[in-house]
Amino acid sequence: MSSIEKIVEQALQDGYLTPAMEAEVGRICDTASELSIEEYMALDRLMGSLLTGEVVAVPRKQFINVMEELVLTEAIARVAQIEASNDCSLDLGDIAAYALNRLPPLYATSEEGAAYQREKAQEELAGLISDQVKDAISHSLDRPDFFPERQSIKRSSDSFLGQMNELLNDYAHKFEPAQVA
């Protein structure tokens, strides 16, 4: 039994399709070059069950981390000041990630919750946020430029083999076989 068939059977048994199950079916359908007849039939059963209400799709929970917004606001202001007065370029993403990894998350699921978290953070954590962003910038400025060719993480629909091919093409020219005596 294939992964799709197992997911469909689970959804039919439980009566609901979770976001994780939905994502897995989507991932399989996106990456598979071809689906079997059994897999198409399972997907058809799932679609029918969703349409009749026999299976209910569980909605995705929407939430945000208010700390990201607060850190980015602080980091943008500080980086702009530094870049305006110095001849340097700072990576805002690196700075924000460094600071966020050292700060508590502040999640909210509604606008009211987000407003509460913002207010709480501005009253209780403003100094800590400022200190962590300052440390992140200092860390970024002190770091030597070891890999100037590095790039940010990019989402790609390429297959694993395609990614390996690109990696090998990028580094193969630097490879020299060892001399055999």
Side-chain angles (χ1 to χ4, degrees), residues 30-164:
D30 286 345
T31 59
S33 59
E34 191 174 297
L35 296 176
S36 69
I37 292 292
E38 292 81 12
E39 290 171 322
Y40 277 115
M41 289 173 50
L43 289 173
D44 189 51
R45 282 195 353 247
L46 178 61
M47 183 59 73
S49 298
L50 286 165
L51 290 172
T52 63
E54 182 183 348
V55 172
V56 177
V58 178
R60 296 176 194 269
K61 184 72 173 164
Q62 297 296 320
F63 54 87
I64 60 167
N65 181 359
V66 175
M67 187 60 79
E68 291 178 10
E69 171 190 319
L70 299 171
V71 166
L72 276 173
T73 301
E74 179 77 17
I76 288 169
R78 287 190 183 240
V79 166
Q81 288 174 339
I82 292 169
E83 288 183 345
S85 62
N86 296 319
D87 187 29
C88 68
S89 178
L90 295 170
D91 188 324
L92 187 61
D94 282 354
I95 291 165
Y98 186 94
L100 284 166
N101 282 329
R102 287 153 181 81
L103 290 164
L106 295 174
Y107 286 100
T109 60
S110 66
E111 278 303 316
E112 294 84 15
Y116 171 80
Q117 294 287 41
R118 267 186 221 99
E119 186 178 316
K120 176 184 171 187
Q122 288 166 347
E123 289 174 6
E124 299 174 14
L125 301 172
L128 183 60
I129 292 168
S130 179
D131 289 345
Q132 291 302 324
V133 170
K134 187 169 42 172
D135 288 349
I137 291 171
S138 175
H139 179 70
S140 182
L141 288 170
D142 292 342
R143 187 178 60 222
D145 199 12
F146 289 115
F147 299 103
E149 74 279 359
R150 91 181 171 130
Q151 298 175 1
S152 63
I153 298 172
K154 56 184 172 185
R155 300 224 180 245
S156 173
S157 60
D158 292 341
S159 68
F160 172 75
L161 292 176
Q163 291 175 10
M164 285 301 297

